[in-house]
Amino acid sequence: MPSRDISADAKKARSNFARALSAYIELCALERNSGAGATVALANAAEVGDSWVFRQIGQELARSRYTGQPPWDSLKVLSEDLGLPELADVADIMRLANDESSEVYRQLRARSASARSALLSAELAQAGVVEERMYLPASFLGVVFLALLMAPPLLRLFGTS
């Protein structure tokens, strides 16, 4: 039982992280669109939010600054630790932005849109599962209602014969 609870909590935390990561990607795209460099865009986007996700990313970026390694390498390690490939994708995109000085605004926006789409698909699948579980209680309730409607006429019919 405790391992199942921990597994459910981890799944919920990954889902929350994926939601916040979608917002973080959007913020990185906006920072890059306003002319900030790749490293600055990552750091500024992490400073905007105050949730544990943004703090975790901010701490990882600060650690990379203090150790002298590129921030995308730190984000890649964080993505492997937490099991979030979306964060690794952002790190790869920003690495390309720094190496080639390429325009990554559209790439980041597309990645954010695909992350939101994946989250929406997962939520719709979960809603479908919950809806399927409701068929049995709803059917049982319908049968009980019909029995209540049919009981008085049937009792009168069998009572008079």
Side-chain angles (χ1 to χ4, degrees), residues 4 8 17 20 31 41 58 60 62 66 74 79 83 86 92 95 97 110 116-117 128 134 141 144 156:
R4 187 172 36 174
F17 202 99
E31 285 288 328
E60 200 62 38
Y66 296 137
S74 295
S79 75
E86 296 90 2
D92 291 338
R95 174 183 290 132
R116 284 192 309 269
S117 176
M134 292 304 295
L141 185 63
V144 169
R156 266 190 242 127

Side-chain angles (χ1 to χ4, degrees), residues 16 26 35 40 43 47 59 88 96 117 121 125 135 144 150 156 161:
N16 290 340
E26 282 287 330
V40 174
E47 291 175 1
Q59 289 172 356
L96 284 174
S117 176
S121 296
Y135 283 137
V144 169
M150 296 301 292
R156 266 190 242 127
S161 47

Side-chain angles (χ1 to χ4, degrees), residues 1-14:
M1 190 72 168
S3 65
R4 187 172 36 174
D5 291 342
I6 290 172
S7 176
D9 289 345
K11 186 176 180 180
K12 187 176 180 181
R14 279 193 191 94

